[in-house]
Amino acid sequence: MKLSKSTIRIFGLCAFYLLYMFIGAAVFSSIEYPNEKQIIEKLKVKRHQFLQSHKRCLNDSELEMFITKIVRANNRGISTMNNLTVEPNWSFGQAVFFAGTVLTTIGYGHVSPLSTSGKLFCIFYAIIGIPITLIMISACVERLLIITNKLYDKLKTFSIFYRNNSTINLKALTYTHLALVFVFVLVVFFLIPAAIFSSIEKEWNYLDALYYCFISLTTIGLGDYIPGDKNEQPYRAFYKIATTFYLIFGIMFVMLFISVLTQIPELNLAKLLSLEMETSSDPERQLLTSDAPTSSSYSRQIDEDDSLSINNMHSTRY
């Protein structure tokens, strides 16, 4: 059985993906393990010193039991700092932030439902809410593409993209357009918010804040940096809600950049793995494809004029 070119490319991509993952694991291990080991040694010394200074009233097993309870509570988002006089995790502002991280699939994991009913509701809430979020973001990105296409058309009028005042340099025009969209997303949703977060969060430097923006807007959501987690944070509820909207709009514009990127054939690597590349060179498949119903009849929108204008713009580009 002869394998198709796209299938061979997929196997090659899978092999590269595994290699890339193992290389990343090796780098992370070499960077982080020495630091982790150093912290563990310091904690061992502090634990021993604490036991020595309280050996008359506390033994090792009692301390171990106490630390275990503290760590378990902290892993569930319950802080034991300041004699437990902290704002509840499930105040309205905190709950809005949690709901936003669920719907956008960021899922920091620092706070999670504790009750059985809360866990069940979270499952059903996510089942309905995540598809709605994806549909909403996709629809908004489609509208935003109209604006980026207008920017592309505006760039066409600049004489700098013409050779001998007659032939347009499409490659220079295309990559300039992509660069402008990238710079806009980078500045408005990464660099400026990072400066704002680093000024609000006293324990964050600028790199920490930029790291948080990247980890969040790419929906990695490690949960090591969470804005507004300090109990003394002024206007904490408003801060949490504002951050939630920042995350939603930020993910939307990151998706916009990816959409603009994939419109460029040379950068759309997914096409190399698509069966459509082989269908175009196979007469029998072309016949079957032409007889089959197209999916556009199932995805027609109410406002057809907008969708048609988008398709026309896409067809005239790249």
Side-chain angles (χ1 to χ4, degrees):
M1 181 179 177
K2 185 178 179 181
L3 295 177
S4 63
K5 289 183 178 180
S6 64
T7 302
I8 295 174
R9 292 191 189 106
I10 288 175
F11 281 122
L13 178 63
C14 291
F16 173 77
Y17 182 81
L18 289 174
L19 177 64
Y20 189 76
M21 182 171 60
F22 292 145
I23 291 174
V27 172
F28 283 127
S29 178
S30 62
I31 293 174
E32 296 296 331
Y33 177 71
N35 187 46
E36 179 190 35
K37 189 176 180 181
Q38 186 179 9
I39 293 174
I40 290 174
E41 293 302 323
K42 288 181 179 180
L43 285 175
K44 285 181 179 179
V45 172
K46 286 189 175 294
R47 179 189 175 113
H48 178 73
Q49 290 175 347
F50 183 83
L51 282 173
Q52 289 300 314
S53 60
H54 298 84
K55 59 183 179 181
R56 293 184 179 180
C57 58
L58 186 68
N59 57 42
D60 187 74
S61 60
E62 292 173 338
L63 178 61
E64 181 71 22
M65 187 180 301
F66 179 70
I67 293 175
T68 300
K69 290 181 178 180
I70 296 294
V71 171
R72 285 178 179 174
N74 187 70
N75 290 338
R76 305 300 292 274
I78 301 174
S79 175
T80 57
M81 302 292 289
N82 299 322
N83 199 25
L84 293 172
T85 56
V86 296
E87 181 183 343
N89 286 324
W90 298 104
S91 62
F92 183 74
Q94 293 274 65
V96 169
F97 184 74
F98 172 79
T101 59
V102 170
L103 296 180
T104 56
T105 69
I106 296 175
Y108 292 119
H110 69 301
V111 173
S112 58
L114 302 178
S115 63
T116 301
S117 57
K119 293 173 184 176
L120 290 174
F121 176 75
C122 185
I123 293 173
F124 289 107
Y125 182 72
I127 288 174
I128 298 173
I130 291 175
I132 293 175
T133 304
L134 294 175
I135 293 169
M136 179 195 71
I137 290 177
S138 299
C140 291
V141 167
E142 189 177 17
R143 270 64 182 177
L144 290 170
L145 279 171
I146 298 175
I147 300 174
T148 62
N149 287 333
K150 288 182 178 178
L151 172 63
Y152 182 84
D153 293 335
K154 183 67 176 176
L155 290 173
K156 278 184 180 179
T157 63
F158 293 175
S159 59
I160 191 176
F161 297 112
Y162 287 86
R163 301 167 182 166
N164 302 323
N165 296 323
S166 59
T167 307
I168 188 170
N169 189 344
L170 281 177
K171 182 167 287 188
L173 175 63
T174 298
Y175 285 106
T176 300
H177 175 252
L178 177 66
L180 288 175
V181 175
F182 171 75
V183 169
F184 175 81
V185 174
L186 177 66
V187 172
V188 176
F189 292 96
F190 288 90
L191 300 183
I192 294 177
I196 295 173
F197 281 124
S198 61
S199 64
I200 295 176
E201 302 289 338
K202 302 305 180 184
E203 295 183 0
W204 296 11
N205 57 37
Y206 186 79
L207 179 60
D208 294 334
L210 185 61
Y211 167 82
Y212 165 76
C213 293
F214 176 81
I215 292 298
S216 298
L217 297 189
T218 53
T219 68
I220 297 174
L222 295 177
D224 46 351
Y225 289 92
I226 307 295
D229 254 18
K230 297 296 181 183
N231 192 48
E232 63 273 11
Q233 178 71 52
Y235 307 106
R236 191 180 183 193
F238 174 78
Y239 181 37
K240 285 284 191 180
I241 294 173
T243 302
T244 303
F245 282 100
Y246 157 73
L247 295 175
I248 294 172
F249 281 101
I251 291 172
M252 189 182 301
F253 275 84
V254 169
M255 292 301 298
L256 172 66
F257 170 72
I258 294 173
S259 297
V260 174
L261 179 70
T262 54
Q263 285 180 359
I264 304 174
E266 301 87 30
L267 300 180
N268 191 355
L269 300 180
K271 282 191 174 182
L272 295 175
L273 308 175
S274 175
L275 292 174
E276 293 179 2
M277 295 289 290
E278 296 164 23
T279 303
S280 60
S281 60
D282 189 337
E284 183 178 352
R285 288 188 178 183
Q286 281 184 342
L287 181 62
L288 291 172
T289 305
S290 62
D291 292 339
T294 59
S295 60
S296 60
S297 59
Y298 302 104
S299 60
R300 191 172 299 279
Q301 299 182 8
I302 296 174
D303 48 347
E304 293 185 5
D305 292 339
D306 287 345
S307 60
L308 286 175
S309 63
I310 294 170
N311 292 330
N312 291 334
M313 288 178 182
H314 288 180
S315 62
T316 57
R317 292 180 56 184
Y318 317 135

